[in-house]
Structures are given as C-alpha cells and as structure tokens.
Amino acid sequence: MYRSMLIVGFALIGGAACVQAAESRSEAQGQAIESKFSECETCCGTALTINFANELGLPLDYLTSIGYRIAQARRAPDPVDLALAAQGLAAAEKASGKTASVTAAHVMKDALDLARLRGNSSELATLSQLATDDATKKDLAKQLAAAKRREADQKAAAKSDEETRELIGHLTVANHFHECLRIYVSGRYVGTVHSGETMPFYVHDHNDSTLLDAYCEDGHLVRRECVWGHHHSFSWHIY
C-alpha cells in the first residue's frame, strides 16, 4: 500500500518546491506536483515491529523494549534519546556480532539528521558529546555555533518586538490518503491529520528550505517535500 501514487499540490506564495525520496514531475508554480514512489522509505520509527533480542540472538531485557524506545523517540521526535538508544543498540551489535533490520548506525543517522533540522543548541551540544567520529563532531560544532547565534537573535528580536524573518506562516494539510498521517515540519511534529480531513497549522522554521514529512502511524514515510524560501502560507494536498 506504500507504493501507491501520491499527488501533492502546493499553493505557494513565491519560491519553488523540490521533491525528495520520490520520482517527480514539477510543473509551474501553484500547479500540482505528481510523485510516484518506487519504494517506500522507512525510518527508524518502524523499530517497534522488530524483535531485537531474537534478531541479535541476545537474551537481554534491554532489547525487549529498545524498539519501543526508538519508535517513541522518533515520533516525539527526540534526537538525544534516539542517539542514546543507538549507543545501547551498538553495544548489543558488537556483543552479538550481528545487526538487526534496523541498525544502530541507522538510528544514529536519524538522530543527527533530526538535530540538524531542529537546530536546538541544547540538543546539538549533547549530540556533540555522543558523536564518535571527528567529521561529525566538527559538523555539530559548526551547527551548534549557528544555533546559539540564531537563538540570541531571536531573544533580541522578541525584546524589541521585531518580526522574525524565520516565520513561514500557515500550513494547510489536506489528507486524501487512506491512513492517518503524522505531519512534521523540519523535524518538529506539528499534528496528526486523519484520512479525509484538512487541518491548518501555524509553523515557522529557521532553515533556508523547509522539510515537510508525512508518516503513517506505523512509522513509514509516506511523503516528503522540500519547500524553499520564505512563505506566508501554503497548502499541502496528499493523495
């Protein structure tokens, strides 16, 4: 069911949309973007369905609940808890000499990607302590410095009542898909839109491009869109 045709229409004020994780044909601004998945992308949120103790061959109580922990951290989302779970899973992988269908590297990648998207200085500082390779540490240090500058600018703007330049505005999501969808804006959960419903959200993002994700309740990524530029309102129709 995850290989079905999905049609996404944007009503955008300026800018263009780029499509990721799908084959796409983009038409003129304001027209529909039609995409067809060749294969559904799976995030580590599907860890809930995995028997890690069985797949790794380790009778550890910790492994009986790690799938739930990973899934809940991904749904929240909480990149720090994801990274900590990845460390525990990595230790079990080393002990068993095996990997499960969701690996520690997969979970850590999701944690790092989320932290970069969210741009929270506390999360980035914590993940920089958990990172194991120099390249990742260097990148996180750069992201952390940018996050601290941005947060300081936001505080100054709030005190002076200056309008933030990061405001996107109103996102309207129309779910024509046959399942409930959890909507994320650049790594932040904004709400659930049930099948057949249309829901408005007020969102903002600090990134140059805003990543929109729609996940089924079982953790499968149904749709991903990348919207560039500053917009006051736009609509997302998911078929």
Side-chain angles (χ1 to χ4, degrees):
M1 63 180 168
Y2 300 112
R3 298 183 181 182
S4 56
M5 172 71 77
L6 304 176
I7 304 173
V8 180
F10 282 88
L12 299 176
I13 300 179
C18 68
V19 183
Q20 299 179 354
E23 299 169 4
S24 65
R25 177 175 61 83
S26 179
E27 299 179 358
Q29 179 179 311
Q31 300 298 312
I33 298 173
E34 298 181 4
S35 304
K36 184 177 181 180
F37 279 99
S38 57
E39 185 175 350
C40 176
E41 181 176 334
T42 302
C43 78
C44 65
T46 58
L48 184 63
T49 65
I50 297 171
N51 186 332
F52 285 92
N54 183 60
E55 293 195 16
L56 295 177
L58 289 177
L60 297 175
D61 289 342
Y62 175 76
L63 292 178
T64 63
S65 61
I66 194 171
Y68 176 80
R69 179 182 177 184
I70 292 171
Q72 289 301 108
R74 187 60 184 80
R75 282 167 62 90
D78 185 342
V80 174
D81 200 22
L82 270 181
L84 291 171
Q87 286 190 328
L89 183 55
E93 289 175 350
K94 290 180 180 179
S96 68
K98 302 176 183 177
T99 58
S101 46
V102 168
T103 67
H106 186 182
V107 178
M108 182 59 81
K109 180 180 182 301
D110 267 14
L112 293 170
D113 288 346
L114 279 170
R116 293 182 182 107
L117 274 175
R118 291 162 61 85
N120 180 289
S121 63
S122 297
E123 293 174 350
L124 289 165
T126 304
L127 260 70
S128 67
Q129 299 301 313
L130 299 175
T132 56
D133 65 279
D134 291 339
T136 300
K137 286 179 176 290
K138 183 177 180 180
D139 177 67
L140 289 174
K142 181 179 178 181
Q143 298 281 342
L144 176 58
K148 287 182 175 180
R149 289 194 299 270
R150 182 172 58 252
E151 290 167 358
D153 290 344
Q154 288 173 338
K155 288 181 180 179
K159 289 181 179 179
S160 63
D161 293 326
E162 178 186 344
E163 183 179 357
T164 173
R165 293 170 295 178
E166 299 166 0
L167 180 66
I168 293 177
H170 295 89
L171 165 67
T172 301
V173 179
N175 181 9
H176 308 281
F177 199 56
H178 57 271
E179 294 189 29
C180 295
L181 298 176
R182 293 174 59 84
I183 307 301
Y184 294 80
V185 176
S186 288
R188 287 178 168 79
Y189 172 69
V190 296
T192 296
V193 184
H194 296 281
S195 179
E197 285 188 348
T198 299
M199 293 288 292
F201 302 101
Y202 193 66
V203 301
H204 63 88
D205 183 34
H206 63 271
N207 298 295
D208 291 332
S209 60
T210 298
L211 190 66
L212 305 178
D213 285 333
Y215 285 89
C216 287
E217 291 292 339
D218 62 4
H220 284 86
L221 175 61
V222 172
R223 196 69 178 94
R224 169 167 287 177
E225 293 292 339
C226 180
V227 181
W228 293 88
H230 177 85
H231 308 284
H232 295 289
S233 66
F234 53 89
S235 298
W236 191 17
H237 293 265
I238 306 174
Y239 287 85

